Amino acid sequence: MYQAMILPSGSPVPLPSAPHVDLRLPGLIAADHFPVVALSGVVDGSENDSAAASVTASILKERLEDELRGRHGISYDVGFGGASIRLGQSMPVVWADGHDDKWQVVVDTLWTALKTLADDGPTAEELDHALAVARAELEDPRAIAGWLVFQAARTLNGREPRTRQEQAELERTLDAATIQACAQQMLDTALLLAPDARVHLDDVPDITEDDPPTSDPIDGHLYRRKVLAIAPRDLAVRVSDQGISVTARGVTGRVDWSDTVGVASAPGVRGIIASDGRQLSLIAKCLRDGDEMLAQIDGYTSGLAFDADPDEILA
């Protein structure tokens, strides 16, 4: 396994750099298709940012289990995770499922748990338990695949791979003040997803209906919607040697080829991925001369395509 992980020689390909899409944060979004209440936040930090974010999310998860599973008996799936989103930033995530008539309780409990952790920090018992859980995960041989993914992410972000012993040392340096500061950053940048439009929080704006950012259409070849297509009536795709734009429901998304970092490809479907994470999804059968459009996209993005499941592209 170690031999398979050795990277080829040569200069690394730099990661694309792009500004984040602006959102009003903290914010609440009602997502009917979402089966849980989930909360994410952005944590800035130094070398121990991922360790602090993970331990903070672990403590929140324990608080949610005590309240939602133990006290209220309305949640079964309570968990946490996270990702490194750019150099020096992590995005911890916590979530919990619930009953259809109890989503407000789940949201209130999650938000209160985070606010309390940001205001008061963890108890000594909570911190000791979370650090013990982190140590056990490091020592678990079943976690080796996840550990390798973590090291791959560090490499992509321009950091040196870390041994599990080094990770354990970093975790041992975490104290209550560090976890409290991490929780405060999560609180300031929180994005809550809830599966019920009736859910609300007094001190968090509902941004479900916030207008997505729109752009000017590309000046290029126009592909119009087929008459009988199941697609928005104003669907229009424009393609040129500069980039591509998609207009639907009054909003235009645009990605220049110079800003394209990948193209998810499946028969009759493409997903154009921009450096800031936005994606434009194209279905050939919805457009007149749709196959010609896909051929144009493939010609302009040679070398960026990768095979993908069509359901994932259109999710």
Side-chain angles (χ1 to χ4, degrees), residues 88-134:
Q89 285 188 327
S90 296
M91 185 180 68
V93 183
V94 290
W95 66 84
D97 64 357
H99 296 179
D100 287 345
D101 60 341
K102 298 292 185 180
W103 289 123
Q104 185 66 56
V105 176
V106 178
V107 168
D108 289 340
T109 301
L110 203 166
W111 190 246
T112 298
L114 179 58
K115 284 192 69 175
T116 304
L117 188 59
D119 289 342
D120 304 324
T123 66
E125 292 78 12
E126 283 180 320
L127 183 57
D128 288 344
H129 177 70
L131 292 176
V133 169

mmCIF file of all heavy atoms in Angstrom, residues 88-134:
data_model
loop_
_atom_site.group_PDB
_atom_site.id
_atom_site.type_symbol
_atom_site.label_atom_id
_atom_site.label_comp_id
_atom_site.label_asym_id
_atom_site.label_seq_id
_atom_site.Cartn_x
_atom_site.Cartn_y
_atom_site.Cartn_z
ATOM 1 N N GLY A 88 -5.139 26.120 5.344
ATOM 2 C CA GLY A 88 -5.399 26.833 6.586
ATOM 3 C C GLY A 88 -6.855 26.944 6.965
ATOM 4 O O GLY A 88 -7.187 27.628 7.916
ATOM 5 N N GLN A 89 -7.757 26.262 6.233
ATOM 6 C CA GLN A 89 -9.180 26.320 6.559
ATOM 7 C C GLN A 89 -9.786 24.923 6.554
ATOM 8 O O GLN A 89 -9.491 24.114 5.674
ATOM 9 C CB GLN A 89 -9.949 27.198 5.571
ATOM 10 C CG GLN A 89 -9.736 28.689 5.758
ATOM 11 C CD GLN A 89 -10.673 29.495 4.871
ATOM 12 O OE1 GLN A 89 -11.024 29.100 3.774
ATOM 13 N NE2 GLN A 89 -11.079 30.653 5.362
ATOM 14 N N SER A 90 -10.619 24.670 7.537
ATOM 15 C CA SER A 90 -11.346 23.409 7.623
ATOM 16 C C SER A 90 -12.836 23.698 7.730
ATOM 17 O O SER A 90 -13.243 24.770 8.198
ATOM 18 C CB SER A 90 -10.890 22.594 8.836
ATOM 19 O OG SER A 90 -9.542 22.208 8.719
ATOM 20 N N MET A 91 -13.659 22.730 7.316
ATOM 21 C CA MET A 91 -15.111 22.874 7.410
ATOM 22 C C MET A 91 -15.672 21.693 8.188
ATOM 23 O O MET A 91 -15.978 20.653 7.622
ATOM 24 C CB MET A 91 -15.764 22.944 6.030
ATOM 25 C CG MET A 91 -17.257 23.222 6.094
ATOM 26 S SD MET A 91 -18.036 23.316 4.458
ATOM 27 C CE MET A 91 -17.888 21.616 3.908
ATOM 28 N N PRO A 92 -15.788 21.809 9.523
ATOM 29 C CA PRO A 92 -16.438 20.752 10.292
ATOM 30 C C PRO A 92 -17.943 20.748 10.051
ATOM 31 O O PRO A 92 -18.551 21.789 9.800
ATOM 32 C CB PRO A 92 -16.105 21.125 11.743
ATOM 33 C CG PRO A 92 -15.850 22.595 11.707
ATOM 34 C CD PRO A 92 -15.286 22.906 10.353
ATOM 35 N N VAL A 93 -18.543 19.558 10.134
ATOM 36 C CA VAL A 93 -19.974 19.381 9.892
ATOM 37 C C VAL A 93 -20.537 18.453 10.968
ATOM 38 O O VAL A 93 -19.911 17.447 11.314
ATOM 39 C CB VAL A 93 -20.248 18.776 8.507
ATOM 40 C CG1 VAL A 93 -21.756 18.663 8.259
ATOM 41 C CG2 VAL A 93 -19.588 19.586 7.412
ATOM 42 N N VAL A 94 -21.697 18.792 11.495
ATOM 43 C CA VAL A 94 -22.430 17.897 12.398
ATOM 44 C C VAL A 94 -23.858 17.774 11.881
ATOM 45 O O VAL A 94 -24.383 18.689 11.246
ATOM 46 C CB VAL A 94 -22.434 18.422 13.858
ATOM 47 C CG1 VAL A 94 -21.060 18.310 14.462
ATOM 48 C CG2 VAL A 94 -22.927 19.860 13.932
ATOM 49 N N TRP A 95 -24.481 16.633 12.150
ATOM 50 C CA TRP A 95 -25.837 16.421 11.661
ATOM 51 C C TRP A 95 -26.610 15.485 12.590
ATOM 52 O O TRP A 95 -26.022 14.750 13.397
ATOM 53 C CB TRP A 95 -25.825 15.847 10.243
ATOM 54 C CG TRP A 95 -25.246 14.467 10.148
ATOM 55 C CD1 TRP A 95 -25.869 13.266 10.374
ATOM 56 C CD2 TRP A 95 -23.886 14.150 9.810
ATOM 57 N NE1 TRP A 95 -25.000 12.224 10.192
ATOM 58 C CE2 TRP A 95 -23.773 12.739 9.840
ATOM 59 C CE3 TRP A 95 -22.772 14.911 9.471
ATOM 60 C CZ2 TRP A 95 -22.576 12.088 9.557
ATOM 61 C CZ3 TRP A 95 -21.583 14.262 9.187
ATOM 62 C CH2 TRP A 95 -21.492 12.869 9.227
ATOM 63 N N ALA A 96 -27.934 15.523 12.445
ATOM 64 C CA ALA A 96 -28.814 14.638 13.209
ATOM 65 C C ALA A 96 -30.124 14.470 12.451
ATOM 66 O O ALA A 96 -30.643 15.427 11.875
ATOM 67 C CB ALA A 96 -29.086 15.200 14.608
ATOM 68 N N ASP A 97 -30.644 13.252 12.434
ATOM 69 C CA ASP A 97 -31.952 13.041 11.838
ATOM 70 C C ASP A 97 -33.024 13.310 12.886
ATOM 71 O O ASP A 97 -32.725 13.746 14.010
ATOM 72 C CB ASP A 97 -32.062 11.634 11.238
ATOM 73 C CG ASP A 97 -31.965 10.528 12.303
ATOM 74 O OD1 ASP A 97 -31.751 10.856 13.499
ATOM 75 O OD2 ASP A 97 -32.090 9.353 11.941
ATOM 76 N N GLY A 98 -34.293 13.061 12.537
ATOM 77 C CA GLY A 98 -35.372 13.344 13.481
ATOM 78 C C GLY A 98 -36.714 12.912 12.933
ATOM 79 O O GLY A 98 -36.797 12.302 11.870
ATOM 80 N N HIS A 99 -37.771 13.237 13.661
ATOM 81 C CA HIS A 99 -39.134 12.944 13.218
ATOM 82 C C HIS A 99 -39.666 14.114 12.403
ATOM 83 O O HIS A 99 -39.276 15.264 12.604
ATOM 84 C CB HIS A 99 -40.041 12.703 14.431
ATOM 85 C CG HIS A 99 -39.661 11.492 15.225
ATOM 86 N ND1 HIS A 99 -40.327 11.098 16.354
ATOM 87 C CD2 HIS A 99 -38.672 10.578 15.050
ATOM 88 C CE1 HIS A 99 -39.781 10.006 16.850
ATOM 89 N NE2 HIS A 99 -38.770 9.678 16.074
ATOM 90 N N ASP A 100 -40.604 13.823 11.497
ATOM 91 C CA ASP A 100 -41.123 14.868 10.611
ATOM 92 C C ASP A 100 -41.749 16.034 11.368
ATOM 93 O O ASP A 100 -41.733 17.166 10.880
ATOM 94 C CB ASP A 100 -42.156 14.271 9.650
ATOM 95 C CG ASP A 100 -41.500 13.421 8.573
ATOM 96 O OD1 ASP A 100 -40.270 13.538 8.405
ATOM 97 O OD2 ASP A 100 -42.203 12.628 7.918
ATOM 98 N N ASP A 101 -42.307 15.767 12.552
ATOM 99 C CA ASP A 101 -42.944 16.841 13.309
ATOM 100 C C ASP A 101 -42.034 17.405 14.398
ATOM 101 O O ASP A 101 -42.482 18.182 15.250
ATOM 102 C CB ASP A 101 -44.248 16.344 13.941
ATOM 103 C CG ASP A 101 -44.036 15.179 14.902
ATOM 104 O OD1 ASP A 101 -42.970 14.527 14.806
ATOM 105 O OD2 ASP A 101 -44.914 14.921 15.739
ATOM 106 N N LYS A 102 -40.743 17.037 14.376
ATOM 107 C CA LYS A 102 -39.820 17.466 15.428
ATOM 108 C C LYS A 102 -38.573 18.172 14.886
ATOM 109 O O LYS A 102 -37.589 18.318 15.612
ATOM 110 C CB LYS A 102 -39.379 16.256 16.270
ATOM 111 C CG LYS A 102 -40.507 15.543 16.997
ATOM 112 C CD LYS A 102 -41.101 16.397 18.103
ATOM 113 C CE LYS A 102 -42.138 15.629 18.894
ATOM 114 N NZ LYS A 102 -42.734 16.454 19.981
ATOM 115 N N TRP A 103 -38.626 18.625 13.648
ATOM 116 C CA TRP A 103 -37.424 19.233 13.071
ATOM 117 C C TRP A 103 -37.044 20.515 13.798
ATOM 118 O O TRP A 103 -35.863 20.838 13.914
ATOM 119 C CB TRP A 103 -37.631 19.503 11.583
ATOM 120 C CG TRP A 103 -37.667 18.273 10.742
ATOM 121 C CD1 TRP A 103 -38.670 17.867 9.913
ATOM 122 C CD2 TRP A 103 -36.653 17.270 10.632
ATOM 123 N NE1 TRP A 103 -38.355 16.674 9.302
ATOM 124 C CE2 TRP A 103 -37.105 16.289 9.727
ATOM 125 C CE3 TRP A 103 -35.397 17.091 11.213
ATOM 126 C CZ2 TRP A 103 -36.370 15.169 9.394
ATOM 127 C CZ3 TRP A 103 -34.645 15.964 10.885
ATOM 128 C CH2 TRP A 103 -35.138 15.024 9.994
ATOM 129 N N GLN A 104 -38.012 21.253 14.296
ATOM 130 C CA GLN A 104 -37.687 22.476 15.030
ATOM 131 C C GLN A 104 -36.904 22.154 16.304
ATOM 132 O O GLN A 104 -35.972 22.888 16.666
ATOM 133 C CB GLN A 104 -38.960 23.236 15.384
ATOM 134 C CG GLN A 104 -38.715 24.592 16.039
ATOM 135 C CD GLN A 104 -38.047 25.589 15.096
ATOM 136 O OE1 GLN A 104 -38.544 25.860 14.018
ATOM 137 N NE2 GLN A 104 -36.893 26.126 15.512
ATOM 138 N N VAL A 105 -37.253 21.070 16.963
ATOM 139 C CA VAL A 105 -36.520 20.662 18.162
ATOM 140 C C VAL A 105 -35.074 20.315 17.809
ATOM 141 O O VAL A 105 -34.138 20.687 18.525
ATOM 142 C CB VAL A 105 -37.209 19.451 18.835
ATOM 143 C CG1 VAL A 105 -36.387 18.968 20.036
ATOM 144 C CG2 VAL A 105 -38.623 19.802 19.251
ATOM 145 N N VAL A 106 -34.883 19.617 16.680
ATOM 146 C CA VAL A 106 -33.529 19.250 16.263
ATOM 147 C C VAL A 106 -32.705 20.497 15.959
ATOM 148 O O VAL A 106 -31.547 20.628 16.393
ATOM 149 C CB VAL A 106 -33.571 18.313 15.031
ATOM 150 C CG1 VAL A 106 -32.152 17.964 14.578
ATOM 151 C CG2 VAL A 106 -34.344 17.040 15.357
ATOM 152 N N VAL A 107 -33.291 21.438 15.226
ATOM 153 C CA VAL A 107 -32.584 22.674 14.889
ATOM 154 C C VAL A 107 -32.241 23.463 16.145
ATOM 155 O O VAL A 107 -31.105 23.929 16.324
ATOM 156 C CB VAL A 107 -33.430 23.529 13.924
ATOM 157 C CG1 VAL A 107 -32.859 24.933 13.805
ATOM 158 C CG2 VAL A 107 -33.478 22.872 12.543
ATOM 159 N N ASP A 108 -33.213 23.634 17.030
ATOM 160 C CA ASP A 108 -32.970 24.391 18.269
ATOM 161 C C ASP A 108 -31.864 23.744 19.104
ATOM 162 O O ASP A 108 -31.006 24.442 19.665
ATOM 163 C CB ASP A 108 -34.257 24.483 19.094
ATOM 164 C CG ASP A 108 -35.300 25.399 18.482
ATOM 165 O OD1 ASP A 108 -34.918 26.246 17.644
ATOM 166 O OD2 ASP A 108 -36.487 25.262 18.815
ATOM 167 N N THR A 109 -31.905 22.424 19.195
ATOM 168 C CA THR A 109 -30.922 21.715 20.009
ATOM 169 C C THR A 109 -29.524 21.852 19.422
ATOM 170 O O THR A 109 -28.552 22.101 20.159
ATOM 171 C CB THR A 109 -31.301 20.226 20.110
ATOM 172 O OG1 THR A 109 -32.606 20.103 20.686
ATOM 173 C CG2 THR A 109 -30.306 19.471 20.979
ATOM 174 N N LEU A 110 -29.406 21.728 18.112
ATOM 175 C CA LEU A 110 -28.097 21.847 17.467
ATOM 176 C C LEU A 110 -27.533 23.259 17.644
ATOM 177 O O LEU A 110 -26.360 23.440 17.993
ATOM 178 C CB LEU A 110 -28.231 21.482 15.985
ATOM 179 C CG LEU A 110 -26.967 21.017 15.245
ATOM 180 C CD1 LEU A 110 -27.341 20.369 13.922
ATOM 181 C CD2 LEU A 110 -26.001 22.146 14.995
ATOM 182 N N TRP A 111 -28.376 24.246 17.408
ATOM 183 C CA TRP A 111 -27.918 25.636 17.503
ATOM 184 C C TRP A 111 -27.543 25.995 18.937
ATOM 185 O O TRP A 111 -26.530 26.650 19.180
ATOM 186 C CB TRP A 111 -28.996 26.568 16.974
ATOM 187 C CG TRP A 111 -28.538 27.987 16.804
ATOM 188 C CD1 TRP A 111 -28.977 29.081 17.496
ATOM 189 C CD2 TRP A 111 -27.543 28.467 15.897
ATOM 190 N NE1 TRP A 111 -28.324 30.213 17.064
ATOM 191 C CE2 TRP A 111 -27.438 29.860 16.078
ATOM 192 C CE3 TRP A 111 -26.748 27.847 14.937
ATOM 193 C CZ2 TRP A 111 -26.554 30.644 15.348
ATOM 194 C CZ3 TRP A 111 -25.863 28.625 14.198
ATOM 195 C CH2 TRP A 111 -25.772 30.006 14.407
ATOM 196 N N THR A 112 -28.344 25.543 19.891
ATOM 197 C CA THR A 112 -28.044 25.815 21.297
ATOM 198 C C THR A 112 -26.745 25.145 21.727
ATOM 199 O O THR A 112 -25.940 25.728 22.465
ATOM 200 C CB THR A 112 -29.199 25.330 22.194
ATOM 201 O OG1 THR A 112 -30.391 26.044 21.851
ATOM 202 C CG2 THR A 112 -28.887 25.559 23.664
ATOM 203 N N ALA A 113 -26.518 23.923 21.252
ATOM 204 C CA ALA A 113 -25.281 23.215 21.591
ATOM 205 C C ALA A 113 -24.065 23.981 21.093
ATOM 206 O O ALA A 113 -23.053 24.114 21.803
ATOM 207 C CB ALA A 113 -25.309 21.807 21.000
ATOM 208 N N LEU A 114 -24.145 24.507 19.869
ATOM 209 C CA LEU A 114 -23.012 25.254 19.316
ATOM 210 C C LEU A 114 -22.830 26.578 20.049
ATOM 211 O O LEU A 114 -21.699 26.967 20.378
ATOM 212 C CB LEU A 114 -23.226 25.487 17.823
ATOM 213 C CG LEU A 114 -22.121 26.287 17.114
ATOM 214 C CD1 LEU A 114 -20.762 25.615 17.269
ATOM 215 C CD2 LEU A 114 -22.456 26.485 15.635
ATOM 216 N N LYS A 115 -23.923 27.304 20.315
ATOM 217 C CA LYS A 115 -23.817 28.595 21.002
ATOM 218 C C LYS A 115 -23.233 28.418 22.402
ATOM 219 O O LYS A 115 -22.387 29.210 22.848
ATOM 220 C CB LYS A 115 -25.192 29.261 21.100
ATOM 221 C CG LYS A 115 -25.685 29.888 19.809
ATOM 222 C CD LYS A 115 -26.896 30.765 20.043
ATOM 223 C CE LYS A 115 -26.517 32.015 20.828
ATOM 224 N NZ LYS A 115 -27.665 32.950 20.957
ATOM 225 N N THR A 116 -23.669 27.396 23.097
ATOM 226 C CA THR A 116 -23.164 27.152 24.446
ATOM 227 C C THR A 116 -21.684 26.808 24.425
ATOM 228 O O THR A 116 -20.912 27.261 25.287
ATOM 229 C CB THR A 116 -23.964 26.014 25.110
ATOM 230 O OG1 THR A 116 -25.354 26.337 25.101
ATOM 231 C CG2 THR A 116 -23.512 25.803 26.542
ATOM 232 N N LEU A 117 -21.270 26.013 23.443
ATOM 233 C CA LEU A 117 -19.858 25.657 23.335
ATOM 234 C C LEU A 117 -19.023 26.892 22.998
ATOM 235 O O LEU A 117 -17.911 27.059 23.504
ATOM 236 C CB LEU A 117 -19.671 24.580 22.268
ATOM 237 C CG LEU A 117 -18.271 23.945 22.157
ATOM 238 C CD1 LEU A 117 -17.872 23.292 23.469
ATOM 239 C CD2 LEU A 117 -18.244 22.927 21.020
ATOM 240 N N ALA A 118 -19.561 27.786 22.160
ATOM 241 C CA ALA A 118 -18.847 29.015 21.817
ATOM 242 C C ALA A 118 -18.798 29.982 22.999
ATOM 243 O O ALA A 118 -17.807 30.691 23.190
ATOM 244 C CB ALA A 118 -19.513 29.691 20.616
ATOM 245 N N ASP A 119 -19.841 30.005 23.818
ATOM 246 C CA ASP A 119 -19.893 30.931 24.953
ATOM 247 C C ASP A 119 -19.053 30.439 26.137
ATOM 248 O O ASP A 119 -18.348 31.233 26.781
ATOM 249 C CB ASP A 119 -21.335 31.121 25.416
ATOM 250 C CG ASP A 119 -22.174 31.914 24.432
ATOM 251 O OD1 ASP A 119 -21.580 32.603 23.576
ATOM 252 O OD2 ASP A 119 -23.414 31.822 24.499
ATOM 253 N N ASP A 120 -19.129 29.145 26.421
ATOM 254 C CA ASP A 120 -18.546 28.625 27.658
ATOM 255 C C ASP A 120 -17.390 27.651 27.448
ATOM 256 O O ASP A 120 -16.683 27.335 28.412
ATOM 257 C CB ASP A 120 -19.631 27.912 28.485
ATOM 258 C CG ASP A 120 -20.824 28.814 28.768
ATOM 259 O OD1 ASP A 120 -20.608 30.026 28.964
ATOM 260 O OD2 ASP A 120 -21.954 28.300 28.790
ATOM 261 N N GLY A 121 -17.208 27.190 26.206
ATOM 262 C CA GLY A 121 -16.177 26.188 25.979
ATOM 263 C C GLY A 121 -16.611 24.819 26.469
ATOM 264 O O GLY A 121 -17.681 24.656 27.084
ATOM 265 N N PRO A 122 -15.803 23.791 26.243
ATOM 266 C CA PRO A 122 -16.156 22.445 26.679
ATOM 267 C C PRO A 122 -15.845 22.240 28.161
ATOM 268 O O PRO A 122 -14.985 22.929 28.727
ATOM 269 C CB PRO A 122 -15.256 21.562 25.815
ATOM 270 C CG PRO A 122 -14.029 22.405 25.609
ATOM 271 C CD PRO A 122 -14.525 23.827 25.509
ATOM 272 N N THR A 123 -16.515 21.307 28.779
ATOM 273 C CA THR A 123 -16.129 20.903 30.126
ATOM 274 C C THR A 123 -14.859 20.060 30.044
ATOM 275 O O THR A 123 -14.499 19.542 28.969
ATOM 276 C CB THR A 123 -17.233 20.077 30.794
ATOM 277 O OG1 THR A 123 -17.385 18.837 30.087
ATOM 278 C CG2 THR A 123 -18.552 20.834 30.784
ATOM 279 N N ALA A 124 -14.183 19.910 31.163
ATOM 280 C CA ALA A 124 -12.966 19.086 31.187
ATOM 281 C C ALA A 124 -13.289 17.654 30.781
ATOM 282 O O ALA A 124 -12.509 16.999 30.064
ATOM 283 C CB ALA A 124 -12.337 19.122 32.577
ATOM 284 N N GLU A 125 -14.450 17.150 31.235
ATOM 285 C CA GLU A 125 -14.834 15.779 30.902
ATOM 286 C C GLU A 125 -15.090 15.637 29.404
ATOM 287 O O GLU A 125 -14.694 14.632 28.788
ATOM 288 C CB GLU A 125 -16.086 15.380 31.691
ATOM 289 C CG GLU A 125 -15.883 15.255 33.188
ATOM 290 C CD GLU A 125 -15.842 16.596 33.900
ATOM 291 O OE1 GLU A 125 -16.206 17.629 33.266
ATOM 292 O OE2 GLU A 125 -15.446 16.624 35.084
ATOM 293 N N GLU A 126 -15.753 16.613 28.804
ATOM 294 C CA GLU A 126 -16.023 16.564 27.362
ATOM 295 C C GLU A 126 -14.723 16.553 26.559
ATOM 296 O O GLU A 126 -14.577 15.778 25.610
ATOM 297 C CB GLU A 126 -16.868 17.769 26.940
ATOM 298 C CG GLU A 126 -18.331 17.669 27.289
ATOM 299 C CD GLU A 126 -19.107 18.890 26.837
ATOM 300 O OE1 GLU A 126 -18.577 20.022 26.964
ATOM 301 O OE2 GLU A 126 -20.235 18.733 26.344
ATOM 302 N N LEU A 127 -13.805 17.422 26.933
ATOM 303 C CA LEU A 127 -12.548 17.502 26.195
ATOM 304 C C LEU A 127 -11.751 16.212 26.345
ATOM 305 O O LEU A 127 -11.220 15.686 25.358
ATOM 306 C CB LEU A 127 -11.734 18.702 26.680
ATOM 307 C CG LEU A 127 -10.415 18.962 25.944
ATOM 308 C CD1 LEU A 127 -10.653 19.135 24.443
ATOM 309 C CD2 LEU A 127 -9.729 20.192 26.517
ATOM 310 N N ASP A 128 -11.672 15.689 27.555
ATOM 311 C CA ASP A 128 -10.934 14.439 27.768
ATOM 312 C C ASP A 128 -11.539 13.302 26.949
ATOM 313 O O ASP A 128 -10.825 12.506 26.335
ATOM 314 C CB ASP A 128 -10.935 14.063 29.248
ATOM 315 C CG ASP A 128 -10.046 14.968 30.088
ATOM 316 O OD1 ASP A 128 -9.207 15.682 29.493
ATOM 317 O OD2 ASP A 128 -10.197 14.969 31.333
ATOM 318 N N HIS A 129 -12.877 13.235 26.935
ATOM 319 C CA HIS A 129 -13.539 12.162 26.182
ATOM 320 C C HIS A 129 -13.302 12.311 24.684
ATOM 321 O O HIS A 129 -13.002 11.323 23.990
ATOM 322 C CB HIS A 129 -15.037 12.172 26.478
ATOM 323 C CG HIS A 129 -15.811 11.148 25.700
ATOM 324 N ND1 HIS A 129 -15.713 9.793 25.932
ATOM 325 C CD2 HIS A 129 -16.688 11.288 24.673
ATOM 326 C CE1 HIS A 129 -16.499 9.132 25.095
ATOM 327 N NE2 HIS A 129 -17.104 10.028 24.317
ATOM 328 N N ALA A 130 -13.415 13.525 24.177
ATOM 329 C CA ALA A 130 -13.219 13.750 22.736
ATOM 330 C C ALA A 130 -11.794 13.418 22.317
ATOM 331 O O ALA A 130 -11.566 12.841 21.243
ATOM 332 C CB ALA A 130 -13.556 15.196 22.381
ATOM 333 N N LEU A 131 -10.829 13.772 23.138
ATOM 334 C CA LEU A 131 -9.434 13.461 22.815
ATOM 335 C C LEU A 131 -9.189 11.960 22.881
ATOM 336 O O LEU A 131 -8.412 11.410 22.080
ATOM 337 C CB LEU A 131 -8.492 14.205 23.762
ATOM 338 C CG LEU A 131 -8.470 15.726 23.603
ATOM 339 C CD1 LEU A 131 -7.566 16.370 24.655
ATOM 340 C CD2 LEU A 131 -8.008 16.122 22.203
ATOM 341 N N ALA A 132 -9.841 11.267 23.808
ATOM 342 C CA ALA A 132 -9.707 9.809 23.888
ATOM 343 C C ALA A 132 -10.297 9.143 22.652
ATOM 344 O O ALA A 132 -9.730 8.174 22.114
ATOM 345 C CB ALA A 132 -10.392 9.295 25.151
ATOM 346 N N VAL A 133 -11.436 9.666 22.188
ATOM 347 C CA VAL A 133 -12.049 9.130 20.965
ATOM 348 C C VAL A 133 -11.123 9.350 19.768
ATOM 349 O O VAL A 133 -10.934 8.461 18.936
ATOM 350 C CB VAL A 133 -13.417 9.789 20.721
ATOM 351 C CG1 VAL A 133 -13.945 9.443 19.328
ATOM 352 C CG2 VAL A 133 -14.415 9.354 21.787
ATOM 353 N N ALA A 134 -10.517 10.535 19.678
ATOM 354 C CA ALA A 134 -9.603 10.835 18.574
ATOM 355 C C ALA A 134 -8.392 9.909 18.610
ATOM 356 O O ALA A 134 -7.942 9.419 17.563
ATOM 357 C CB ALA A 134 -9.157 12.294 18.647
#
